[in-house]
Amino acid sequence: MVRDFTQALVVYPCLIIIAVVSSSCFCLPVPSFPVENLSEALEKLKLGAGNRAPDSVEGSLDCLLKALAHNNTEASMKIQEMGILPTLPSLLSSQSSCTPKVANIIAEVAKNEFMRSPCVDAGLIPPLVQLLTSPDQELLLQTGRALGNICYDSHEGRSAVHQAGGAQLVAEHIKCLSLNTEPDNEKLLTVLCGMLMNYSNDNDSLQAQLINMGVIPTLVKLLGIHAHNTALTEMCLIAFGNLAELESSKEQFASTNIAEELVRLFQKQTEHEKREMVFEVLAPLAENDVIKLQLVEAGMVECLLEVVGQTVDGEREEDVAQLKTASDLMVLLLLGDESMQKLFEGGKGSVFQRVLSWIPSNNHQLQLAGALAIANFARNDGNCIHMVDIGIVQQLLELLERHVDEGNVTVQHAALSALRNLAIPVVNKAKMLSAGVADVVLKFLQSEMPPVQFKLLGTLRMLIDTQDRGSMCFFLFAMVFSDKPVSFRRVVSSAEAADQLGTNGKLVERLVEWCEAKDHAGVMGESNRLLSALIRHSKSKAVVKAVIQGGGVKHLVTMATSEHMIMQNEALVALGLIAALDLVAAEKDFEGASLVSMLHKLLSDERSAPEIKYNSMILICAVMGSEPLHKEVQALAFIDVVAKLRAHDNKTVSHQASLTEQRLTSQS
């Protein structure tokens, strides 16, 4: 039986790179005062660049840097207006003591969006990339700033850097410099990491390129070695946030000690904003099951529980946000089978016990997270049986009761998800029915929210589904082919519940309505399956009568043509029971829904599974007692189709074909 993997309805955003590479982090301080002769300085610069005499323009470069510091936008516009950018490649190529200043000017100019494409058009990228081969730290710093700012939110800039091979050179520098903890080196590392992030932000192909270069292990190493450096640490987190969105990155992350480093970093944070940065990296990484387990083993859950304890009673907006993020991440970690089982610890784990305490909370976020956590713990029979035995069902019912009238839809959905999963083991069904689960679930019958409708239907179906497929087929066979009365119905809670639910007029009416919910395929499918289950598990004439009167027969006929074999089979068995228990009442509905024609197609279709062919033949025999349906069977020459099935590879099908052929021949 498939269990739901449930997580909070939340989208974690990828970190967005900062608007520009901050000058406070990435450039040398420049005196800020007005420049009166900018035009003259630009003319001298233009002339000096044309003569390829970089030393002669140093004063002009200083003047230009001062102007940019005073009013960057105005100075940049003047630079563009006077055609200075095309003169700069020559100054970059003839490396001198002025070269870092030229790169600095380009970095400052490229802070303006309107200047990035002109920088590319002026041919600045190739000489800048060439400078990355220099061992000079100051030159590398300013070059990294220039390339990073040109790349920010610029397709042209990124493409040019990509073609020039700039990313590979930067990645190699980061790897070589990673062990050096000197302040100037850390400043350079921060710039180079920022350049790679601006280069690849929101671009899957460029991010994949960085992953293939092996930048992830290097960045994780940086996080550990340079944890004391706030600027570099934050840049690593931004990088992780970008790269972690790609599925291809998860395997590389899982091969590092990223979980330990993130937990260690998180434990050091006290400010809301800093914690949020770590959270936003954790969310995409925790989608990977291996990393889920690594995070659990590294102590992440304890950190999250501490955040919940600190913020649950807080009224500040940041407290509410942290509570939601921490509890949602807890639920996400439980989506992994190994991480979930480790935290469950046979039902005695402290984390499991703590989560249980969230359900009776007055905080909706904790109620939601608690119910979702229970749903995720309930993913194997052993866990489900234990949780039902210790009374969790009653807690969930009390939670649902609190949300019947104008309640929180997400809490309703989560609690119903948990109940559905808990109802899967056969031994739990009677206990849950005795606890009144069906009665409480029916209180949400009037919900207009598809997610709630879907879980409501699934929960009711699980409660009555005894998974006794073989007995149903035998029951149908005996009803159709035996002359003696057959009493197969066992008095078990699931059967009794199916009987009670199936004769509930409001439920049947709602099911028939939802069987037409074409805008919500999940609800429509579950409605059909529950309608079928009520008949199959009750084997009750009263239920059959209620379904016929409610207009449900046509939906079961349609369900028999589903692309899902299990739904086809369920529909055919239900239709067979209808025919066996009250053929007279169903006759007109069978005719109107073209039942016989549908069965002919199923038997003629070579793709139909053996079970489908078998149950179709049983159903054909069952409807032979109706004169109009009998005539339809004769008109479609069923004997020819059935005769061919006597040679079917499946012995059960071939045997049933022989019996069906005899039945058709004797009544022809």
Side-chain angles (χ1 to χ4, degrees), residues 401-421:
E401 291 277 15
R402 294 165 67 181
H403 289 273
V404 172
D405 299 317
E406 299 181 4
N408 185 295
V409 172
T410 57
V411 175
Q412 294 172 359
H413 177 267
L416 288 169
S417 295
L419 288 172
R420 178 202 178 279
N421 283 2

mmCIF file with all atom_site columns, all heavy atoms in Angstrom, residues 401-421:
data_model
loop_
_atom_site.group_PDB
_atom_site.id
_atom_site.type_symbol
_atom_site.label_atom_id
_atom_site.label_alt_id
_atom_site.label_comp_id
_atom_site.label_asym_id
_atom_site.label_entity_id
_atom_site.label_seq_id
_atom_site.pdbx_PDB_ins_code
_atom_site.Cartn_x
_atom_site.Cartn_y
_atom_site.Cartn_z
_atom_site.occupancy
_atom_site.B_iso_or_equiv
_atom_site.pdbx_formal_charge
_atom_site.auth_seq_id
_atom_site.auth_comp_id
_atom_site.auth_asym_id
_atom_site.auth_atom_id
_atom_site.pdbx_PDB_model_num
ATOM 1   N N   . GLU A 1 401 ? -11.365 18.194 15.483 1.00 0.00 ? 401 GLU A N   1
ATOM 2   C CA  . GLU A 1 401 ? -12.588 18.766 16.070 1.00 0.00 ? 401 GLU A CA  1
ATOM 3   C C   . GLU A 1 401 ? -12.440 20.270 16.293 1.00 0.00 ? 401 GLU A C   1
ATOM 4   O O   . GLU A 1 401 ? -13.401 21.027 16.161 1.00 0.00 ? 401 GLU A O   1
ATOM 5   C CB  . GLU A 1 401 ? -12.905 18.083 17.403 1.00 0.00 ? 401 GLU A CB  1
ATOM 6   C CG  . GLU A 1 401 ? -13.349 16.632 17.287 1.00 0.00 ? 401 GLU A CG  1
ATOM 7   C CD  . GLU A 1 401 ? -14.833 16.489 16.962 1.00 0.00 ? 401 GLU A CD  1
ATOM 8   O OE1 . GLU A 1 401 ? -15.450 17.489 16.555 1.00 0.00 ? 401 GLU A OE1 1
ATOM 9   O OE2 . GLU A 1 401 ? -15.352 15.371 17.097 1.00 0.00 ? 401 GLU A OE2 1
ATOM 10  N N   . ARG A 1 402 ? -11.216 20.695 16.589 1.00 0.00 ? 402 ARG A N   1
ATOM 11  C CA  . ARG A 1 402 ? -10.970 22.127 16.819 1.00 0.00 ? 402 ARG A CA  1
ATOM 12  C C   . ARG A 1 402 ? -11.001 22.924 15.531 1.00 0.00 ? 402 ARG A C   1
ATOM 13  O O   . ARG A 1 402 ? -11.024 24.150 15.550 1.00 0.00 ? 402 ARG A O   1
ATOM 14  C CB  . ARG A 1 402 ? -9.602  22.307 17.499 1.00 0.00 ? 402 ARG A CB  1
ATOM 15  C CG  . ARG A 1 402 ? -9.552  21.725 18.901 1.00 0.00 ? 402 ARG A CG  1
ATOM 16  C CD  . ARG A 1 402 ? -8.122  21.584 19.409 1.00 0.00 ? 402 ARG A CD  1
ATOM 17  N NE  . ARG A 1 402 ? -7.470  22.865 19.631 1.00 0.00 ? 402 ARG A NE  1
ATOM 18  C CZ  . ARG A 1 402 ? -6.219  22.999 20.056 1.00 0.00 ? 402 ARG A CZ  1
ATOM 19  N NH1 . ARG A 1 402 ? -5.489  21.914 20.294 1.00 0.00 ? 402 ARG A NH1 1
ATOM 20  N NH2 . ARG A 1 402 ? -5.701  24.199 20.232 1.00 0.00 ? 402 ARG A NH2 1
ATOM 21  N N   . HIS A 1 403 ? -10.974 22.212 14.388 1.00 0.00 ? 403 HIS A N   1
ATOM 22  C CA  . HIS A 1 403 ? -10.905 22.906 13.102 1.00 0.00 ? 403 HIS A CA  1
ATOM 23  C C   . HIS A 1 403 ? -12.070 22.559 12.183 1.00 0.00 ? 403 HIS A C   1
ATOM 24  O O   . HIS A 1 403 ? -11.970 22.700 10.975 1.00 0.00 ? 403 HIS A O   1
ATOM 25  C CB  . HIS A 1 403 ? -9.579  22.565 12.410 1.00 0.00 ? 403 HIS A CB  1
ATOM 26  C CG  . HIS A 1 403 ? -8.389  23.190 13.062 1.00 0.00 ? 403 HIS A CG  1
ATOM 27  N ND1 . HIS A 1 403 ? -7.942  24.462 12.763 1.00 0.00 ? 403 HIS A ND1 1
ATOM 28  C CD2 . HIS A 1 403 ? -7.562  22.721 14.039 1.00 0.00 ? 403 HIS A CD2 1
ATOM 29  C CE1 . HIS A 1 403 ? -6.884  24.741 13.504 1.00 0.00 ? 403 HIS A CE1 1
ATOM 30  N NE2 . HIS A 1 403 ? -6.629  23.704 14.283 1.00 0.00 ? 403 HIS A NE2 1
ATOM 31  N N   . VAL A 1 404 ? -13.178 22.110 12.762 1.00 0.00 ? 404 VAL A N   1
ATOM 32  C CA  . VAL A 1 404 ? -14.342 21.762 11.937 1.00 0.00 ? 404 VAL A CA  1
ATOM 33  C C   . VAL A 1 404 ? -14.987 23.003 11.343 1.00 0.00 ? 404 VAL A C   1
ATOM 34  O O   . VAL A 1 404 ? -15.206 23.104 10.129 1.00 0.00 ? 404 VAL A O   1
ATOM 35  C CB  . VAL A 1 404 ? -15.373 20.956 12.752 1.00 0.00 ? 404 VAL A CB  1
ATOM 36  C CG1 . VAL A 1 404 ? -16.654 20.777 11.924 1.00 0.00 ? 404 VAL A CG1 1
ATOM 37  C CG2 . VAL A 1 404 ? -14.817 19.594 13.137 1.00 0.00 ? 404 VAL A CG2 1
ATOM 38  N N   . ASP A 1 405 ? -15.307 23.950 12.174 1.00 0.00 ? 405 ASP A N   1
ATOM 39  C CA  . ASP A 1 405 ? -15.993 25.165 11.725 1.00 0.00 ? 405 ASP A CA  1
ATOM 40  C C   . ASP A 1 405 ? -14.990 26.267 11.420 1.00 0.00 ? 405 ASP A C   1
ATOM 41  O O   . ASP A 1 405 ? -14.318 26.779 12.317 1.00 0.00 ? 405 ASP A O   1
ATOM 42  C CB  . ASP A 1 405 ? -16.982 25.651 12.793 1.00 0.00 ? 405 ASP A CB  1
ATOM 43  C CG  . ASP A 1 405 ? -18.048 24.608 13.082 1.00 0.00 ? 405 ASP A CG  1
ATOM 44  O OD1 . ASP A 1 405 ? -18.550 24.017 12.110 1.00 0.00 ? 405 ASP A OD1 1
ATOM 45  O OD2 . ASP A 1 405 ? -18.351 24.388 14.268 1.00 0.00 ? 405 ASP A OD2 1
ATOM 46  N N   . GLU A 1 406 ? -14.893 26.620 10.142 1.00 0.00 ? 406 GLU A N   1
ATOM 47  C CA  . GLU A 1 406 ? -13.990 27.683 9.700  1.00 0.00 ? 406 GLU A CA  1
ATOM 48  C C   . GLU A 1 406 ? -12.577 27.447 10.232 1.00 0.00 ? 406 GLU A C   1
ATOM 49  O O   . GLU A 1 406 ? -11.900 28.366 10.694 1.00 0.00 ? 406 GLU A O   1
ATOM 50  C CB  . GLU A 1 406 ? -14.510 29.052 10.151 1.00 0.00 ? 406 GLU A CB  1
ATOM 51  C CG  . GLU A 1 406 ? -15.885 29.381 9.583  1.00 0.00 ? 406 GLU A CG  1
ATOM 52  C CD  . GLU A 1 406 ? -16.378 30.746 10.016 1.00 0.00 ? 406 GLU A CD  1
ATOM 53  O OE1 . GLU A 1 406 ? -15.607 31.464 10.689 1.00 0.00 ? 406 GLU A OE1 1
ATOM 54  O OE2 . GLU A 1 406 ? -17.518 31.073 9.688  1.00 0.00 ? 406 GLU A OE2 1
ATOM 55  N N   . GLY A 1 407 ? -12.156 26.213 10.174 1.00 0.00 ? 407 GLY A N   1
ATOM 56  C CA  . GLY A 1 407 ? -10.840 25.865 10.698 1.00 0.00 ? 407 GLY A CA  1
ATOM 57  C C   . GLY A 1 407 ? -9.730  26.147 9.714  1.00 0.00 ? 407 GLY A C   1
ATOM 58  O O   . GLY A 1 407 ? -9.948  26.604 8.591  1.00 0.00 ? 407 GLY A O   1
ATOM 59  N N   . ASN A 1 408 ? -8.521  25.839 10.142 1.00 0.00 ? 408 ASN A N   1
ATOM 60  C CA  . ASN A 1 408 ? -7.344  26.034 9.315  1.00 0.00 ? 408 ASN A CA  1
ATOM 61  C C   . ASN A 1 408 ? -7.240  24.877 8.321  1.00 0.00 ? 408 ASN A C   1
ATOM 62  O O   . ASN A 1 408 ? -7.090  23.722 8.697  1.00 0.00 ? 408 ASN A O   1
ATOM 63  C CB  . ASN A 1 408 ? -6.100  26.084 10.218 1.00 0.00 ? 408 ASN A CB  1
ATOM 64  C CG  . ASN A 1 408 ? -4.846  26.413 9.455  1.00 0.00 ? 408 ASN A CG  1
ATOM 65  O OD1 . ASN A 1 408 ? -4.418  25.642 8.611  1.00 0.00 ? 408 ASN A OD1 1
ATOM 66  N ND2 . ASN A 1 408 ? -4.244  27.550 9.751  1.00 0.00 ? 408 ASN A ND2 1
ATOM 67  N N   . VAL A 1 409 ? -7.336  25.202 7.035  1.00 0.00 ? 409 VAL A N   1
ATOM 68  C CA  . VAL A 1 409 ? -7.368  24.170 5.990  1.00 0.00 ? 409 VAL A CA  1
ATOM 69  C C   . VAL A 1 409 ? -6.085  23.336 5.980  1.00 0.00 ? 409 VAL A C   1
ATOM 70  O O   . VAL A 1 409 ? -6.124  22.117 5.790  1.00 0.00 ? 409 VAL A O   1
ATOM 71  C CB  . VAL A 1 409 ? -7.602  24.813 4.608  1.00 0.00 ? 409 VAL A CB  1
ATOM 72  C CG1 . VAL A 1 409 ? -7.441  23.776 3.499  1.00 0.00 ? 409 VAL A CG1 1
ATOM 73  C CG2 . VAL A 1 409 ? -8.979  25.433 4.540  1.00 0.00 ? 409 VAL A CG2 1
ATOM 74  N N   . THR A 1 410 ? -4.943  23.981 6.178  1.00 0.00 ? 410 THR A N   1
ATOM 75  C CA  . THR A 1 410 ? -3.685  23.232 6.146  1.00 0.00 ? 410 THR A CA  1
ATOM 76  C C   . THR A 1 410 ? -3.600  22.249 7.307  1.00 0.00 ? 410 THR A C   1
ATOM 77  O O   . THR A 1 410 ? -3.060  21.147 7.156  1.00 0.00 ? 410 THR A O   1
ATOM 78  C CB  . THR A 1 410 ? -2.467  24.183 6.179  1.00 0.00 ? 410 THR A CB  1
ATOM 79  O OG1 . THR A 1 410 ? -2.544  25.011 7.341  1.00 0.00 ? 410 THR A OG1 1
ATOM 80  C CG2 . THR A 1 410 ? -2.431  25.057 4.939  1.00 0.00 ? 410 THR A CG2 1
ATOM 81  N N   . VAL A 1 411 ? -4.143  22.627 8.457  1.00 0.00 ? 411 VAL A N   1
ATOM 82  C CA  . VAL A 1 411 ? -4.160  21.713 9.603  1.00 0.00 ? 411 VAL A CA  1
ATOM 83  C C   . VAL A 1 411 ? -5.116  20.555 9.328  1.00 0.00 ? 411 VAL A C   1
ATOM 84  O O   . VAL A 1 411 ? -4.809  19.389 9.626  1.00 0.00 ? 411 VAL A O   1
ATOM 85  C CB  . VAL A 1 411 ? -4.554  22.454 10.899 1.00 0.00 ? 411 VAL A CB  1
ATOM 86  C CG1 . VAL A 1 411 ? -4.692  21.467 12.056 1.00 0.00 ? 411 VAL A CG1 1
ATOM 87  C CG2 . VAL A 1 411 ? -3.508  23.515 11.249 1.00 0.00 ? 411 VAL A CG2 1
ATOM 88  N N   . GLN A 1 412 ? -6.276  20.856 8.766  1.00 0.00 ? 412 GLN A N   1
ATOM 89  C CA  . GLN A 1 412 ? -7.221  19.799 8.397  1.00 0.00 ? 412 GLN A CA  1
ATOM 90  C C   . GLN A 1 412 ? -6.554  18.787 7.461  1.00 0.00 ? 412 GLN A C   1
ATOM 91  O O   . GLN A 1 412 ? -6.635  17.573 7.670  1.00 0.00 ? 412 GLN A O   1
ATOM 92  C CB  . GLN A 1 412 ? -8.442  20.408 7.694  1.00 0.00 ? 412 GLN A CB  1
ATOM 93  C CG  . GLN A 1 412 ? -9.311  21.297 8.563  1.00 0.00 ? 412 GLN A CG  1
ATOM 94  C CD  . GLN A 1 412 ? -10.389 22.012 7.746  1.00 0.00 ? 412 GLN A CD  1
ATOM 95  O OE1 . GLN A 1 412 ? -10.465 21.860 6.535  1.00 0.00 ? 412 GLN A OE1 1
ATOM 96  N NE2 . GLN A 1 412 ? -11.216 22.790 8.414  1.00 0.00 ? 412 GLN A NE2 1
ATOM 97  N N   . HIS A 1 413 ? -5.916  19.312 6.433  1.00 0.00 ? 413 HIS A N   1
ATOM 98  C CA  . HIS A 1 413 ? -5.258  18.473 5.436  1.00 0.00 ? 413 HIS A CA  1
ATOM 99  C C   . HIS A 1 413 ? -4.179  17.602 6.078  1.00 0.00 ? 413 HIS A C   1
ATOM 100 O O   . HIS A 1 413 ? -4.073  16.398 5.791  1.00 0.00 ? 413 HIS A O   1
ATOM 101 C CB  . HIS A 1 413 ? -4.648  19.375 4.353  1.00 0.00 ? 413 HIS A CB  1
ATOM 102 C CG  . HIS A 1 413 ? -3.887  18.658 3.294  1.00 0.00 ? 413 HIS A CG  1
ATOM 103 N ND1 . HIS A 1 413 ? -2.524  18.454 3.370  1.00 0.00 ? 413 HIS A ND1 1
ATOM 104 C CD2 . HIS A 1 413 ? -4.284  18.097 2.135  1.00 0.00 ? 413 HIS A CD2 1
ATOM 105 C CE1 . HIS A 1 413 ? -2.121  17.791 2.304  1.00 0.00 ? 413 HIS A CE1 1
ATOM 106 N NE2 . HIS A 1 413 ? -3.162  17.562 1.530  1.00 0.00 ? 413 HIS A NE2 1
ATOM 107 N N   . ALA A 1 414 ? -3.390  18.202 6.954  1.00 0.00 ? 414 ALA A N   1
ATOM 108 C CA  . ALA A 1 414 ? -2.289  17.468 7.589  1.00 0.00 ? 414 ALA A CA  1
ATOM 109 C C   . ALA A 1 414 ? -2.813  16.375 8.515  1.00 0.00 ? 414 ALA A C   1
ATOM 110 O O   . ALA A 1 414 ? -2.304  15.239 8.504  1.00 0.00 ? 414 ALA A O   1
ATOM 111 C CB  . ALA A 1 414 ? -1.402  18.442 8.365  1.00 0.00 ? 414 ALA A CB  1
ATOM 112 N N   . ALA A 1 415 ? -3.823  16.689 9.317  1.00 0.00 ? 415 ALA A N   1
ATOM 113 C CA  . ALA A 1 415 ? -4.365  15.704 10.260 1.00 0.00 ? 415 ALA A CA  1
ATOM 114 C C   . ALA A 1 415 ? -5.019  14.540 9.516  1.00 0.00 ? 415 ALA A C   1
ATOM 115 O O   . ALA A 1 415 ? -4.871  13.370 9.905  1.00 0.00 ? 415 ALA A O   1
ATOM 116 C CB  . ALA A 1 415 ? -5.371  16.371 11.195 1.00 0.00 ? 415 ALA A CB  1
ATOM 117 N N   . LEU A 1 416 ? -5.726  14.842 8.440  1.00 0.00 ? 416 LEU A N   1
ATOM 118 C CA  . LEU A 1 416 ? -6.337  13.784 7.633  1.00 0.00 ? 416 LEU A CA  1
ATOM 119 C C   . LEU A 1 416 ? -5.258  12.920 6.963  1.00 0.00 ? 416 LEU A C   1
ATOM 120 O O   . LEU A 1 416 ? -5.420  11.704 6.829  1.00 0.00 ? 416 LEU A O   1
ATOM 121 C CB  . LEU A 1 416 ? -7.266  14.388 6.579  1.00 0.00 ? 416 LEU A CB  1
ATOM 122 C CG  . LEU A 1 416 ? -8.575  14.986 7.116  1.00 0.00 ? 416 LEU A CG  1
ATOM 123 C CD1 . LEU A 1 416 ? -9.279  15.794 6.033  1.00 0.00 ? 416 LEU A CD1 1
ATOM 124 C CD2 . LEU A 1 416 ? -9.499  13.885 7.635  1.00 0.00 ? 416 LEU A CD2 1
ATOM 125 N N   . SER A 1 417 ? -4.162  13.548 6.538  1.00 0.00 ? 417 SER A N   1
ATOM 126 C CA  . SER A 1 417 ? -3.044  12.793 5.952  1.00 0.00 ? 417 SER A CA  1
ATOM 127 C C   . SER A 1 417 ? -2.489  11.791 6.960  1.00 0.00 ? 417 SER A C   1
ATOM 128 O O   . SER A 1 417 ? -2.198  10.637 6.621  1.00 0.00 ? 417 SER A O   1
ATOM 129 C CB  . SER A 1 417 ? -1.927  13.749 5.522  1.00 0.00 ? 417 SER A CB  1
ATOM 130 O OG  . SER A 1 417 ? -2.350  14.601 4.492  1.00 0.00 ? 417 SER A OG  1
ATOM 131 N N   . ALA A 1 418 ? -2.340  12.248 8.195  1.00 0.00 ? 418 ALA A N   1
ATOM 132 C CA  . ALA A 1 418 ? -1.813  11.364 9.237  1.00 0.00 ? 418 ALA A CA  1
ATOM 133 C C   . ALA A 1 418 ? -2.765  10.199 9.496  1.00 0.00 ? 418 ALA A C   1
ATOM 134 O O   . ALA A 1 418 ? -2.339  9.044  9.600  1.00 0.00 ? 418 ALA A O   1
ATOM 135 C CB  . ALA A 1 418 ? -1.589  12.167 10.516 1.00 0.00 ? 418 ALA A CB  1
ATOM 136 N N   . LEU A 1 419 ? -4.064  10.491 9.592  1.00 0.00 ? 419 LEU A N   1
ATOM 137 C CA  . LEU A 1 419 ? -5.046  9.430  9.835  1.00 0.00 ? 419 LEU A CA  1
ATOM 138 C C   . LEU A 1 419 ? -5.075  8.428  8.683  1.00 0.00 ? 419 LEU A C   1
ATOM 139 O O   . LEU A 1 419 ? -5.199  7.217  8.892  1.00 0.00 ? 419 LEU A O   1
ATOM 140 C CB  . LEU A 1 419 ? -6.435  10.039 10.039 1.00 0.00 ? 419 LEU A CB  1
ATOM 141 C CG  . LEU A 1 419 ? -6.641  10.784 11.362 1.00 0.00 ? 419 LEU A CG  1
ATOM 142 C CD1 . LEU A 1 419 ? -7.978  11.517 11.364 1.00 0.00 ? 419 LEU A CD1 1
ATOM 143 C CD2 . LEU A 1 419 ? -6.570  9.813  12.548 1.00 0.00 ? 419 LEU A CD2 1
ATOM 144 N N   . ARG A 1 420 ? -4.975  8.923  7.466  1.00 0.00 ? 420 ARG A N   1
ATOM 145 C CA  . ARG A 1 420 ? -4.982  8.033  6.302  1.00 0.00 ? 420 ARG A CA  1
ATOM 146 C C   . ARG A 1 420 ? -3.825  7.048  6.374  1.00 0.00 ? 420 ARG A C   1
ATOM 147 O O   . ARG A 1 420 ? -3.997  5.844  6.162  1.00 0.00 ? 420 ARG A O   1
ATOM 148 C CB  . ARG A 1 420 ? -4.873  8.847  5.007  1.00 0.00 ? 420 ARG A CB  1
ATOM 149 C CG  . ARG A 1 420 ? -4.835  7.983  3.758  1.00 0.00 ? 420 ARG A CG  1
ATOM 150 C CD  . ARG A 1 420 ? -4.207  8.721  2.588  1.00 0.00 ? 420 ARG A CD  1
ATOM 151 N NE  . ARG A 1 420 ? -4.123  7.869  1.403  1.00 0.00 ? 420 ARG A NE  1
ATOM 152 C CZ  . ARG A 1 420 ? -3.175  6.961  1.174  1.00 0.00 ? 420 ARG A CZ  1
ATOM 153 N NH1 . ARG A 1 420 ? -2.210  6.782  2.066  1.00 0.00 ? 420 ARG A NH1 1
ATOM 154 N NH2 . ARG A 1 420 ? -3.187  6.224  0.076  1.00 0.00 ? 420 ARG A NH2 1
ATOM 155 N N   . ASN A 1 421 ? -2.627  7.553  6.675  1.00 0.00 ? 421 ASN A N   1
ATOM 156 C CA  . ASN A 1 421 ? -1.463  6.674  6.743  1.00 0.00 ? 421 ASN A CA  1
ATOM 157 C C   . ASN A 1 421 ? -1.574  5.680  7.895  1.00 0.00 ? 421 ASN A C   1
ATOM 158 O O   . ASN A 1 421 ? -1.215  4.509  7.760  1.00 0.00 ? 421 ASN A O   1
ATOM 159 C CB  . ASN A 1 421 ? -0.187  7.497  6.871  1.00 0.00 ? 421 ASN A CB  1
ATOM 160 C CG  . ASN A 1 421 ? 0.244   8.109  5.547  1.00 0.00 ? 421 ASN A CG  1
ATOM 161 O OD1 . ASN A 1 421 ? -0.433  7.960  4.531  1.00 0.00 ? 421 ASN A OD1 1
ATOM 162 N ND2 . ASN A 1 421 ? 1.358   8.808  5.542  1.00 0.00 ? 421 ASN A ND2 1
#
